[in-house]
Amino acid sequence: MGDGIELADVVGAVRDGLVEAASQGAGNGLRFELGDIQMEFVVEVRRDARARGGVKAWVVDAGAEAAVSTARTHKVSFTLKPRDAATGQDWLIAADDEGDVSGFTAAARD
């Protein structure tokens, strides 16, 4: 499947995007706690001769999905729970400080 993207590469791209978002958030006063990440894909599972007889899952794009036999495609969904590798705690996309909420009204802060 020439236009497929390996599932591991897709998940890696999401991880890289989150790391980039955290980096861009450094120095800002607003902090986000990263919650569960739900992902769903249509994949084609096929044997990979280079992986010593193993199989790999390739994400099928919406246009190619119609061309691939449904007997060979599978819907895969999963939830990732991001954790800080050093502490095991929930991961924040944020600056180190708590930020300043003085510009918000009392109703917006509650």
Side-chain angles (χ1 to χ4, degrees), residues 7-105:
L7 184 59
D9 292 337
V10 174
V11 174
V14 170
R15 181 185 53 241
D16 293 346
L18 293 171
V19 170
E20 177 65 22
S23 174
Q24 290 177 4
N28 291 317
L30 182 60
R31 181 177 284 225
F32 295 105
E33 179 178 314
L34 186 60
D36 293 351
I37 302 167
Q38 297 178 2
M39 303 180 86
E40 184 172 291
F41 303 100
V42 174
V43 298
E44 178 184 5
V45 179
R46 57 187 163 114
R47 193 164 302 281
D48 185 348
R50 293 172 291 162
R52 295 189 194 127
V55 296
K56 292 201 176 200
W58 298 88
V59 175
V60 179
D61 69 35
E65 179 183 350
V68 177
S69 166
T70 56
R72 293 176 37 200
T73 61
H74 309 276
K75 187 181 211 179
V76 176
S77 61
F78 50 88
T79 301
L80 302 174
K81 293 183 174 283
R83 298 280 184 224
D84 184 293
T87 67
Q89 300 296 315
D90 290 341
W91 203 57
L92 299 176
I93 296 180
D96 291 332
D97 62 29
E98 291 295 325
D100 179 12
V101 295
S102 63
F104 292 101
T105 64

